[in-house]
Amino acid sequence: VDGKNLLWRNADAFSELTAHVDGEELRTGGMYGFVAGLLRIRSKYRAPIIVAWEGTDNFRMKLWPDYKRKRVEDATPAQKELSLEVMASEFRLNELLSHAGVRQYYGVECEADDVIATLATTLRRKGCEVTIYTGDSDLRQLVGPGVTIASPAARSGGDVIYDFQAVV
């Protein structure tokens, strides 16, 4: 599961959900949708779940300091607020998922995409069938024998499955 992708989608989709904790109102939509999504994924695909997260000090930023800078500079105040919410939610989710026994892998100087590619390649070499759950179309380059993408469909509530033929 592409952790950040699933969290962002749900933070936006369920942005109105909040909880009062210690006198503070916390936006909980991203976490709610993420956990609900994991439960649905687990039920539908009946396989162990691994969540991949972004790392810090992305090597791409060292190679090209402007990498994703425009995305940050052009963000509206609402987008910046949502970004802060997602960061706080990710921290809480990491802890929750750890307690629930969900395996999580974190990028070291790389993005979740790199972690997912490494995991998919390693698992395929071990003979496992791999389904990557993400809405990020960049990851479709990993599709091949034994590797498919399940992408959440925005309106239908189902998933779009990308096998080799669908990607071609």
Side-chain angles (χ1 to χ4, degrees):
V1 174
D2 184 345
K4 186 76 81 156
N5 184 276
L6 186 59
L7 179 56
W8 268 102
R9 290 177 70 90
N10 286 294
D12 187 41
F14 298 104
S15 61
E16 73 285 352
L17 296 180
T18 61
H20 293 277
V21 179
D22 297 328
E24 183 182 348
E25 185 176 56
L26 299 176
R27 294 172 78 177
T28 57
M31 293 183 291
Y32 165 79
F34 189 98
V35 171
L38 281 189
L39 291 172
R40 188 181 63 74
I41 291 165
R42 175 73 177 197
S43 174
K44 183 172 183 175
Y45 297 102
R46 301 272 183 214
I49 292 178
I50 300 171
V51 179
W53 297 100
E54 303 288 313
T56 57
D57 299 325
N58 184 333
F59 76 91
R60 290 170 182 84
M61 291 181 183
K62 292 176 185 171
L63 294 172
W64 185 36
D66 287 339
Y67 181 69
K68 293 190 179 181
R69 181 176 294 178
K70 190 100 171 115
R71 188 180 294 178
V72 173
E73 290 174 353
D74 291 347
T76 66
Q79 289 169 325
K80 289 177 183 177
E81 183 180 337
L82 183 61
S83 181
L84 292 173
E85 173 199 334
V86 167
M87 285 189 285
S89 296
E90 183 178 338
F91 177 77
R92 290 183 191 97
L93 271 173
N94 294 156
E95 192 171 348
L96 174 70
L97 295 175
S98 291
H99 290 300
V102 175
R103 291 192 300 179
Q104 301 176 81
Y105 288 87
Y106 305 87
V108 176
E109 297 185 355
C110 63
E111 297 179 345
D113 294 14
D114 303 304
V115 175
I116 291 167
T118 300
L119 288 169
T121 302
T122 301
L123 290 168
R124 277 304 300 143
R125 283 190 192 130
K126 292 181 178 187
C128 299
E129 294 288 318
V130 177
T131 299
I132 300 166
Y133 195 85
T134 184
D136 185 347
S137 59
D138 289 351
L139 288 169
R140 291 182 200 155
Q141 64 189 305
L142 299 173
V143 171
V147 179
T148 57
I149 299 275
S151 186
R155 292 186 175 41
S156 72
D159 297 329
V160 177
I161 304 299
Y162 292 94
D163 59 10
F164 184 76
Q165 285 302 101
V167 172
V168 170

